[in-house]
Amino acid sequence: MNMIIPRQEDWGDLTDLDTAYAYKIFFNKSNQEMQIAFKENIHARCYDLYYMPINVLVYYIYGLKEFIESRSSKDSLDITSAVDCLFNLFYLNSKKHLAEINDIFSEFQQLMQYIADNQLLYDADEETYGDLNITLTEINSNLEKLH
């Protein structure tokens, strides 16, 4: 994993308002610094992650992983939102940015498998969030297209 905080040029074109806002919140901040922002408003920070260029997302998705692993949120809705965000980011980007996601997926696979196998511990009921094991299988299937 690239542990270097993304530089301004990594963010590319900031004419998209959502990308520009994500830049305003995340730019020049480490994943450790972003833990506070994740805890204060996981919904908004997850929204920001969706609008990052892939090379920037590949850095900050580790901050989301850290947030989930620390379970620093007392509000179960926060952890549920974070888990949903993680699975959706990998699912969507395993279609659009196969190589970049493939490069990092092995570092997330164990956590994601645990979450999928214990979905109710994260208050991610199947009716609302779908079967996370199926989502994980689809991510793996998308990534297998590289091999």
Side-chain angles (χ1 to χ4, degrees), residues 80-142:
T80 306
S81 295
V83 163
D84 183 49
C85 178
L86 181 69
F87 275 76
N88 284 324
L89 285 168
F90 268 98
Y91 177 74
L92 295 171
N93 285 291
S94 70
K95 293 178 170 186
K96 297 189 302 188
H97 302 287
L98 204 53
E100 294 89 342
I101 292 302
N102 188 62
D103 287 346
I104 65 169
F105 186 64
S106 64
E107 297 176 61
F108 289 79
Q109 195 163 13
Q110 185 176 356
L111 171 66
M112 292 174 74
Q113 187 64 63
Y114 178 81
I115 292 168
D117 290 343
N118 298 281
Q119 190 165 340
L120 292 179
L121 290 177
Y122 294 87
D123 294 327
D125 64 278
E126 274 190 46
E127 189 173 311
T128 304
Y129 298 97
D131 183 335
L132 295 180
N133 271 303
I134 291 173
T135 304
L136 192 56
T137 299
E138 290 172 353
I139 293 167
N140 278 306
S141 177
N142 290 338

